[in-house]
DNA sequence: GTCTATAAATAGATAGAC
DNA sequence: GTCTATCTATTTATAGAC
């Protein structure tokens, strides 16, 4: 097999094993065996185990990772002031990403627990910017009178919490979906609905208020009577 | 030092180290050194490293752990149908617990990632019951017309997501609180408020609606006009 | 109870033949 | 490129003296 191909193959194997067992929990021997080569081959392509780990992080950061610009996300919905679409699109993108690449979330968690640089990198280059980006939108909408006054960071924390925790359940705690079996689309809709409207029912004698049920771009017009 | 005391001391050290570096990431030598004894002492009290880990899990499960009955929580608020108090109390208890014992959450995460039995145990004996318990309450309130119709599991997922993710940020991702500095009480109030009312502002020409701002047991009366 | 010394296995990493 | 063989350090675990 050609050099680069083999290198990629070893990398792919390592991603899977590191995401499953963590850095210290994975041996170079295991990686070699799973890749069907000798240990010497691993060290031919990556001088040290640490270098292999770093290569994974780079790879993840550049490909599947957070290279997608938060500022570019949901740009259309944002300009339309379609709150429902904004949150739903962001949630769906995240849920889909975590579903398509479950290794990513595990790798990230391992990194955070092991206090590896990836965790810090991810936090600085992605999480901070998401809070900034989403927070700005929320602040604007508050000024426009669409959202109640409240530290935008709390709102971001709450929403991301719903989404991330759902992915964490799907990927880590409850992969067989014992607690909740639901499509990403539905999940994104429900979380958005809860964030925007809460779960308290409108009073029974004015049933026409807040009738939206997470469909389309009804946005926040539903309070008009 | 007496046998049991020493055993407890080693256990305590091991809890901290395992929670920081995980099972495979912690060596028996480190444990011994940190405890100020020789490695032989560790193996005198715990035949194998695995046995030490198991002892930790038992200890955590029985003491700090989830031995507090979910069914007993917020019993008073539940009987009063004080939704705000119900969710706020549960959130506060969880946040407080995670703050008082951050090792617990890390240990649990390591276990889940390493697919250790603790994770399964915790899920079966605690998570399932919380969903059951909170889900039942939500279902009742839906029948009473207080909450909108929606799979209760989704509501539980959303609320627990906000709370757990907040703790995860505090303990793991953002211990210096760069993103959000807030007391547990405030966090519990805000998350509860979002869950019950969402963040959409009432229309400006009827400002007297939904004026609650997370104070006391106003509950869900705020839609009356 | 506690230690030092050490065994046995496994880890990461290298040498050198093909 | 790929392998086998090997080196060195570390890790779990034990023996036996005090």
């Amino acid at each position: 097999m050609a050099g680069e191909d083999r290198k990629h193959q070893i990398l792919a194997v390592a991603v899977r094993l590191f995401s499953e067992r963590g850095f210290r929990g994975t041996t170079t021997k295991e990686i070699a065996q799973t890749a069907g080569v000798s240990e010497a081959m691993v060290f031919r392509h990556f001088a040290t185990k640490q270098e292999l780990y770093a290569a994974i992080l780079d790879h993840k950061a550049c490909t599947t990772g957070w290279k997608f610009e938060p500022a570019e996300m949901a740009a259309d919905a944002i300009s339309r002031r379609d709150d429902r679409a904004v949150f739903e699109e962001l949630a769906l993108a995240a849920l889909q990403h975590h579903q398509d690449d479950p290794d990513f979330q595990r790798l990230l968690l391992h990194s955070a627990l092991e206090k590896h640089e990836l965790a810090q990198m991810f936090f600085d280059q992605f999480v901070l910017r998401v809070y900034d980006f989403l927070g700005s939108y929320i602040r604007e909408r508050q000024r426009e009178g669409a959202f109640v006054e409240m530290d935008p960071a709390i709102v971001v924390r709450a929403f991301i919490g719903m989404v991330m925790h759902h992915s964490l359940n799907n990927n880590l705690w409850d992969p067989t979906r014992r607690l909740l079996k639901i499509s990403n689309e539905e999940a994104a809709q429900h979380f958005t609905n809860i964030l925007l409207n809460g779960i308290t029912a409108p009073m029974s004698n004015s049933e026409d208020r807040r009738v939206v049920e997470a469909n389309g771009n009804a946005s926040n017009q539903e309070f008009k009577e």
Side-chain angles (χ1 to χ4, degrees), chain A residues 81-95:
Chain A
R81 290 297 188 261
D82 186 345
D83 301 320
R84 186 168 301 276
V86 169
F87 287 106
E88 231 179 87
E89 280 179 31
L90 293 176
L92 189 57
L95 293 174

Side-chain angles (χ1 to χ4, degrees), chain A residues 163-176:
Chain A
V163 174
M164 297 297 293
H165 189 249
H166 185 59
S167 284
L168 203 65
N169 264 276
N170 288 342
N171 289 341
L172 195 68
W173 292 104
D174 188 25
T176 57

Side-chain angles (χ1 to χ4, degrees), chain A residues 49-221:
Chain A
K49 190 185 172 186
Q50 182 65 36
E51 192 179 305
L52 176 56
Y53 194 46
I56 288 179
L57 304 190
D58 286 352
H59 180 254
K60 278 289 171 188
C62 294
T63 60
T64 354
W66 54 88
K67 225 34 183 201
F68 64 124
E69 290 291 316
E72 289 171 10
M73 303 199 65
D76 184 53
I78 285 177
S79 66
R80 292 201 321 271
R81 290 297 188 261
D82 186 345
D83 301 320
R84 186 168 301 276
V86 169
F87 287 106
E88 231 179 87
E89 280 179 31
L90 293 176
L92 189 57
L95 293 174
Q96 208 66 48
H97 180 228
H98 287 136
Q99 184 171 68
D100 293 343
D101 186 9
D103 286 347
F104 182 68
Q105 208 180 19
R106 294 183 65 97
L107 211 53
L108 218 51
L109 265 181
H110 268 123
S111 288
L113 285 167
E114 292 174 355
K115 299 187 206 299
H116 197 278
E117 56 171 342
L118 167 67
Q120 195 61 46
M121 248 169 65
F122 178 76
F123 188 82
D124 291 342
Q125 293 183 17
F126 185 71
V127 182
L128 280 180
R129 286 164 66 203
V130 167
Y131 269 75
D132 195 54
F133 167 71
L134 246 187
S136 295
Y137 178 72
I138 292 167
R139 199 171 289 110
E140 273 186 64
R141 294 297 281 152
Q142 288 173 331
R143 273 202 299 265
E144 294 168 2
F147 291 164
V148 296
E149 287 298 327
M150 173 185 237
D151 183 348
I154 294 173
V155 180
V156 178
R157 173 71 44 96
F159 189 64
I160 293 185
M162 301 189 216
V163 174
M164 297 297 293
H165 189 249
H166 185 59
S167 284
L168 203 65
N169 264 276
N170 288 342
N171 289 341
L172 195 68
W173 292 104
D174 188 25
T176 57
R177 310 287 202 276
R178 282 209 279 166
L179 289 176
L180 180 56
K181 211 180 186 70
I182 192 181
S183 73
N184 288 341
E185 285 78 8
E186 282 178 290
Q189 282 180 5
H190 282 298
F191 292 152
T192 299
N193 209 39
I194 289 175
L195 184 81
L196 295 178
N197 297 125
I199 63 170
T200 305
M203 296 309 287
S204 51
N205 54 1
S206 57
E207 282 175 4
D208 52 336
R209 259 195 303 178
R210 304 220 309 166
V211 287
V212 282
E213 246 314 305
N215 42 10
N217 50 5
S219 185
N220 55 336
Q221 309 297 333

